[in-house]
Structures are given as C-alpha cells and as structure tokens.
Amino acid sequence: MKKKVLFYTDSSVFGGHEKTLLIALEGLVREPGFKISVMLSRRNDRFLERLKSFDSAITVIPIDVETEAGDVFRAFLNTRKVKDIQKRIRSVDPDLVVVSQGAIGLSACGLKAAKNVSLPTVSYLPMAHPVTLVVGKQSPIIRLQELCYSYLYRLPDYYLTICQSTKDYLTDLHGVSDDRIFVNYFGMDPPSNKKPLYQFAPEKKSFRIGIIARVEFNQKQHD
C-alpha cells in the first residue's frame, strides 16, 4: 500500500524555497511507494502553474489561506484559521505531513494544524536563524517574536534542511536533538577547475560581484 504524503505551504510568493520544493517533488514522484498531495495557497499563481507539469502524479489542493503577519500568535492560540486547516488536512488523511516553511514563522498555522491532527510532521526548513540576525537589530518586539518562535520550534517531529549551518542553529540555538534533523545538501558545488578571481587579476584590489539573493553568509555561503 502506498504511503500518503501531504506537502503543505501557504506562502503566496514563489521564491527559492518553492523552487527547491519543486525539485524535491520531481524526485519523489519517481518513487513508486508514495501517493503525493500538495496543499497550497490559491494566491500562489506561479507555484500552481508549475505544479501542472506533474499532471496526475500529484494531487494539487488549492486553499484560500496564506501566511499573514500574526500567524505565530494564531498558531499559539489555536484560532479558527488553524482549525480550518485541520479540517483540510484530515480530509486528505495523509500518513505524513511535510510543512514547507522556509523560516519557522511561515506556514505556522499549517504546522500547528498538522500537530493538532496528531500526524507525523516534518518541517522543511532551510533557515533557522535568530530574528535579530535577519533584521539586523534588537527591540522588545523582536525579543517577543523570538519567544513565540521558540514555541513553534518545538512542534515538528523532524526537520529536513539543506545545509550544516542550519542544522547547527537548530541544535545549538533551538534545542532540537540531532536525531530529529536530516540534512539533504542543496546548493552549487564550486567547480574544481576554476581559479579564484584574484589569480586572474592579481593587481586589482576590488571586484564587483552580482548576487541573486539576500546577502547573508551564514545561510547563503557567498563567502
């Protein structure tokens, strides 16, 4: 009997995290032992369009939900939004829920809903950085946000992430035990036959480099 795996995301934005999720789905549909569903925000037009390429290999479930400011509090208080998502998840009756989050505050209500249904839950989480590092400052509001996030980090049964630095944040900063974290490296391997820029132009003291992404060495590893 095939295992039913539900991927959940309510991000309304198609970004790098959604792209990596598509690549994961491309691999998973080749495995014969799984029946895959994707529940996602109806407002994420680009993601919905990309999922059409899977045809009948994936069941696509658009829902009228999206990540909003304050979802961490809605998850904590078990609001109607969480309960509505619970009903949706129950109707699929999956064996496993993979909540595609990007950061722990994204799709937080979906994460809480999956836990309320008492299903094994995996958070696909490439970013576990402290909020102060991301926003570049401290304030009472940010400290409150960090406190609320500490609650969310206790919810998933397992974590799937894409690099060692995120695993280190999960264990050292958020207290997640090592046996609950799986690292599936996703990134560009630097070609071994290329020379560093300074070897091409040793007389230059500076270079202009274009980067498509947020500049943050701990996660993106541009350095």
Side-chain angles (χ1 to χ4, degrees):
M1 182 180 242
K2 290 187 177 183
K3 292 287 184 182
K4 293 189 285 186
V5 181
L6 172 65
F7 287 84
Y8 178 93
T9 173
D10 54 38
S11 170
S12 58
V13 176
F14 186 89
H17 188 55
E18 286 69 34
K19 178 63 176 175
T20 60
L21 179 56
L22 281 173
I23 293 171
L25 290 169
E26 287 169 3
L28 199 56
V29 294
R30 294 196 288 268
E31 297 292 331
F34 296 102
K35 181 179 180 182
I36 304 165
S37 302
V38 179
M39 188 176 292
L40 74 161
S41 172
R42 195 182 303 277
R43 296 193 180 186
N44 201 330
D45 298 333
R46 287 185 64 190
F47 202 9
L48 281 166
E49 188 64 30
R50 299 290 183 93
L51 288 171
K52 288 180 181 178
S53 64
F54 290 96
D55 296 324
S56 59
I58 288 178
T59 301
V60 179
I61 308 167
I63 58 174
D64 293 315
V65 177
E66 64 180 316
T67 291
E68 307 169 87
D71 273 356
V72 60
F73 301 107
R74 294 183 184 94
F76 182 78
L77 296 171
N78 221 26
T79 59
R80 181 176 178 178
K81 182 176 182 178
V82 174
K83 293 174 182 177
D84 286 346
I85 299 170
Q86 276 177 230
K87 293 177 184 177
R88 289 283 196 166
I89 292 175
R90 261 202 203 96
S91 69
V92 179
D93 191 28
D95 299 298
L96 175 72
V97 181
V98 180
V99 184
S100 178
Q101 294 193 267
I104 198 68
L106 302 174
S107 299
C109 291
L111 176 63
K112 180 63 183 298
K115 290 304 297 178
N116 285 351
V117 183
S118 300
L119 290 167
T121 303
V122 179
S123 171
Y124 169 35
L125 188 79
M127 183 175 168
H129 301 45
V131 178
T132 50
L133 179 64
V134 177
V135 301
K137 63 179 181 179
Q138 291 189 358
S139 72
I141 293 296
I142 289 172
R143 286 195 289 273
L144 176 61
Q145 192 175 358
E146 291 276 22
L147 185 63
C148 293
Y149 279 6
S150 67
Y151 164 73
L152 294 179
Y153 278 109
R154 295 198 296 270
L155 294 180
D157 296 295
Y158 300 98
Y159 285 91
L160 174 63
T161 190
I162 61 173
C163 60
Q164 182 64 38
S165 63
T166 300
K167 181 179 180 180
D168 292 342
Y169 276 126
L170 287 168
T171 54
D172 301 342
L173 187 65
H174 305 299
V176 181
S177 59
D178 188 79
D179 60 337
R180 292 169 53 207
I181 307 169
F182 300 91
V183 179
N184 184 25
Y185 178 76
F186 186 93
M188 294 176 63
D189 291 316
S192 58
N193 61 339
K194 298 295 185 183
K195 295 180 180 179
L197 281 173
Y198 64 81
Q199 291 187 15
F200 286 103
E203 73 285 353
K204 293 195 71 173
K205 293 183 179 180
S206 63
F207 298 88
R208 291 182 180 180
I209 300 173
I211 294 174
I212 303 174
R214 173 172 40 81
V215 178
E216 202 275 276
F217 288 166
N218 288 326
Q219 179 193 14
K220 306 292 186 182
Q221 299 182 1
H222 303 113
D223 51 342

